[in-house]
Amino acid sequence: IDWVNKNKWPNPTQMIADLKKDQLNSILITEPFFLKQTKAYPFAETYLAKDSVGKAYELKDFYFGKGGLLDIFRKDAGDWLWNYHYKKQIANGIAGWWTDLGEPEKHPSDMLHNLKDLGVQRMMKADEVHNLYGHYWNKMLFDNYAKSFPNTLLFHLNRSGFSGSQRYSIFPWTGDVSRNWSGLRSQ
């Protein structure tokens, strides 16, 4: 979400500007998961998918660490992510986005999502909305980008979507493919 390692990236804005001088545009990989040990987690916690008692659902076995998944179906969650992350990084010079793990990769059946902004009055289980998650992430990014930068085409690489996601200016990719014939065959 931010450039926290000052040893590796002491001045990210300058680095991005220097790359741009060489005709290189920077894209960032973004994931919808927030880890508990990060400085962003306390800000994100309000916007995470819930458990059965209404608390932020804690993923205990996510391979990066314990954390939660953004409830992208909530307009306020998407607006928060746009303002907290995307808009700030665009101001730093980022020219495009690679949204990863938006299937979402870790999406337990008992995780609950709030779709009231979409007219659904009950909480919905992950299995009911799983295939739509990437689509609504694409939509959120596209809508906010179009509103903030109406004269710029969004570059957005994503491996997740649904019927109609192409209208949100995504460039699909196949995901992490094993570099052998059986990996290609499964694609």
Side-chain angles (χ1 to χ4, degrees):
I1 291 293
D2 209 352
W3 302 90
V4 295
N5 188 332
K6 297 300 180 189
N7 291 325
K8 290 185 178 180
W9 300 291
N11 190 339
T13 304
Q14 185 62 53
M15 176 187 69
I16 295 164
D18 290 345
L19 289 168
K20 198 171 212 98
K21 286 179 197 171
D22 291 332
Q23 309 299 310
L24 297 169
N25 290 314
S26 299
I27 66 170
L28 289 183
I29 298 175
T30 304
E31 298 172 356
F33 296 94
F34 290 84
L35 302 179
K36 285 190 116 173
Q37 73 269 21
T38 63
K39 81 176 190 180
Y41 187 86
F43 303 106
E45 192 170 10
T46 300
Y47 304 107
L48 300 179
K50 305 297 183 208
D51 64 16
S52 63
V53 295
K55 292 185 179 178
Y57 190 105
E58 184 178 314
L59 296 166
K60 297 179 190 310
D61 60 345
F62 191 52
Y63 50 81
F64 294 125
K66 293 180 181 178
L69 174 68
L70 187 74
D71 193 350
I72 198 63
F73 301 102
R74 292 175 45 190
K75 183 171 179 356
D76 64 340
D79 289 345
W80 171 80
L81 183 61
W82 172 255
N83 289 309
Y84 186 82
H85 176 57
Y86 291 110
K87 203 169 182 183
K88 184 167 60 171
Q89 295 305 329
I90 292 167
N92 283 337
I94 294 301
W97 300 97
W98 174 358
T99 52
D100 197 13
L101 304 183
E103 299 77 63
E105 187 164 302
K106 192 73 170 172
H107 205 198
S109 296
D110 58 339
M111 181 181 279
L112 299 172
H113 292 277
N114 181 338
L115 280 77
K116 288 184 180 165
D117 293 332
L118 301 171
V120 179
Q121 295 308 308
R122 66 176 177 84
M123 296 294 280
M124 296 190 77
K125 291 185 176 183
D127 291 347
E128 296 176 286
V129 297
H130 180 79
N131 291 340
L132 291 172
Y133 191 95
H135 180 76
Y136 277 91
W137 191 11
N138 297 333
K139 181 180 181 342
M140 178 281 299
L141 183 54
F142 178 83
D143 288 347
N144 280 298
Y145 196 89
K147 187 170 43 174
S148 296
F149 306 100
N151 298 318
T152 305
L153 181 62
L154 170 65
F155 178 81
H156 179 190
L157 189 65
N158 192 336
R159 70 179 181 190
S160 306
F162 197 73
S163 295
S165 285
Q166 73 279 2
R167 74 182 68 138
Y168 301 127
S169 187
I170 64 163
F171 296 90
W173 66 291
T174 60
D176 301 327
V177 181
S178 184
R179 291 171 300 279
N180 55 43
W181 283 114
S182 64
L184 180 60
R185 188 179 308 115
S186 69
Q187 289 294 308

